[in-house]
């Protein structure tokens, strides 16, 4: 009986080893394919701020430079929506020091830059 429990325990640990495979970087974004990017304070907020061309380039460079992501749960301070010309959309979450997509986050020093875009340019849609 002890052998059976030991075998079961070892098999359980081995099978759970790759439950969350490591993700190294976000999927790359081509800025030519972007229709617009906007930021909201809450997911269903009516106040929306569109990114300028310079802000879009900064955001794309930040996402494309991701090289180490962490799996984490977080309550975002802001949401960034990237809408592509083909109709697809990607949602990113901003916390104080992280940018994330689907619970994969990268640590960055540029979250204040994106948060300031919202604070300085609020408008209602």
């Amino acid at each position: 009986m002890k052998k059976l429990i030991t075998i079961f325990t070892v098999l359980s640990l081995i099978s759970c080893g790759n439950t969350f495979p490591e993700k190294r970087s976000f999927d790359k974004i081509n800025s030519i394919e972007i229709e617009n990017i906007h930021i909201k304070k809450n997911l269903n907020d009516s106040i929306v701020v569109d990114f300028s061309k310079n802000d879009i380039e900064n955001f794309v460079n930040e996402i494309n430079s991701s090289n180490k992501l962490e799996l984490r749960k977080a309550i975002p301070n802001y949401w960034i929506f990237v809408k592509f010309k083909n109709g697809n959309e990607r949602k990113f979450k901003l916390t104080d020091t992280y940018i994330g997509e689907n619970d994969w986050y990268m640590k960055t020093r540029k979250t204040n830059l994106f948060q300031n875009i919202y604070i300085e340019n609020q408008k209602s849609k």
Side-chain angles (χ1 to χ4, degrees), residues 19-26 68-73 91-93 98-107:
T19 302
F20 299 106
E22 189 173 329
K23 186 172 180 178
R24 294 271 181 207
S25 64
F26 291 121
K68 184 179 178 188
L69 300 182
E70 303 173 17
L71 187 61
R72 58 177 49 233
K73 292 286 186 185
K91 296 177 193 158
F92 292 88
K93 304 170 196 173
Y98 288 90
I99 296 176
E101 180 182 35
N102 300 328
D103 297 333
W104 287 100
Y105 286 82
M106 68 177 263
K107 192 165 190 165

Side-chain angles (χ1 to χ4, degrees), residues 40-42 75-79 93-97 115:
K40 294 181 176 184
K41 180 83 170 156
N42 299 311
I75 298 173
N77 297 333
Y78 296 90
W79 291 80
K93 304 170 196 173
L94 245 58
T95 66
D96 290 334
T97 55
Q115 291 173 6

Side-chain angles (χ1 to χ4, degrees), residues 3-59:
K3 287 183 181 182
L4 184 60
I5 291 173
T6 304
I7 291 171
F8 180 71
T9 303
V10 169
L11 288 175
S12 296
L13 292 174
I14 291 171
S15 67
C16 293
N18 287 332
T19 302
F20 299 106
E22 189 173 329
K23 186 172 180 178
R24 294 271 181 207
S25 64
F26 291 121
D27 294 335
K28 302 292 183 201
I29 297 176
N30 185 347
S31 59
I32 296 171
E33 298 172 354
I34 294 175
E35 183 175 320
N36 66 28
I37 297 180
H38 60 267
I39 185 170
K40 294 181 176 184
K41 180 83 170 156
N42 299 311
L43 184 60
N44 298 314
D45 200 354
S46 63
I47 298 175
V48 176
V49 174
D50 292 326
F51 279 29
S52 68
K53 287 189 182 246
N54 188 37
D55 298 331
I56 289 172
E57 287 300 322
N58 284 335
F59 184 76

